[in-house]
Amino acid sequence: MTLRRRLVSSVESRPSILNTARRLAAVAVRQAAGGALGVCIGGAARRRLMAVMGRRGGAGRALGLAALVAAACVAGVCGGEFSILRSPQSVVFRDGSWPIPGERIPDVAALTMGFSVEEDLPWPGLGVGDLFHRPQATVLVTVKGVDKLPVKGFSYPIENAVPFSLDSVANAIHALFSEETPVVLQLAPSEERVYMVGKANAVFEDLSVTLRQLRNRLFQDNSVLSSLPLNSLSRNNEVDLLFLSELQVLRDITSLLSRHKHLAKDHSPDLYSLELSGLEEVGKRYGEDSQQFKDASQILVDSLQKFADEMFNLYGGNAVVEVVAVKEFNSPLSRKTRSILQASQSEKENPYNLAYPYNYDYSVIFNIVLWMMIGLALAVIVISYNLWNMDPGYDSIIYRMTNQKIRMD
């Protein structure tokens, strides 16, 4: 404490050092928060922070407060990780730490498959790939209960981890390739949610989707209980069995798909969306510092890497395998509604009666109408000119047939 008082007093005695400390604190806040300081704290909080930093003798407190605010902002804004385990050469992901908004993850999956999105994605992590060679499959695995996983590949922090779904991508695939019946599988084993479209009903007919089926599958032959090193996990605990049953689903998907390798060579893209929450239950049961949680995390990482390699090889190296690791979502997934009270609020927010923003189809519709009107106008001018200068004696059969000479007797 004596050494700390001497250090602070020496800093206070020199205004230049104090001003340098203030500037370093401000820079540390801006850089650590990554531009999120304005999002995390309001104007009153910023004024209080600047007031503390402006006081004489407040260098130590300003630095501490800056570090605290920066840590809180980073923890509140970036919660989760988006990783690319495998991807073909036609899809370009850049190495960096650019955060991606959680609600735009489905747009990344859509763009990698060659589909258009309603809003532009200004995210530098996804580069421009080969437009004529799109991946044949996209696999997205969502892992709940952990912020990040030590997997191989490119990893990006998730900004504002909100729940998302790949329904828009599945609808686009079903609308464009309805005649070819692609494979679309969306599965959450722990919640018994399953959605199959196209040939997925025939391929994954024997896949275990209910909790009872998952439990029975674990105690059958060639299950993960006989091949995975359980370490501290137990076969007699329901939480551990739930976690292992999700790993069994990953293995069964690759096993069943290997029997229908011809589906990986057709022209329709396939989509797989899996949600795993067994690790989250293990953390709630034993704690995140327990040996069971550490063993389960390592087993999950190895299983995901093996699953990614097998799916990538089944599609001949033309598949994208992505993993989203999130400890918990910020808000529940709900449908947006608009009440009557919001009408008056919207009128107050728009006092100048500004027009609503155009959607992404506006330019297409405008060009269609514009050039059609120009074409019709030119056609009318050309037809009118030719009719006006037409010679009745030579160019019109009507005048030629009706212009009979009068006989003279």
Side-chain angles (χ1 to χ4, degrees), residues 359-374:
N359 57 4
Y360 72 104
D361 291 332
Y362 172 76
S363 59
V364 178
I365 298 174
F366 177 79
N367 279 274
I368 292 175
V369 175
L370 175 64
W371 295 110
M372 184 178 293
M373 295 299 295
I374 293 176

Side-chain angles (χ1 to χ4, degrees), residues 87-99:
S87 63
Q89 296 181 355
S90 59
V91 180
V92 179
F93 285 97
R94 299 189 180 97
D95 189 9
S97 58
W98 302 286

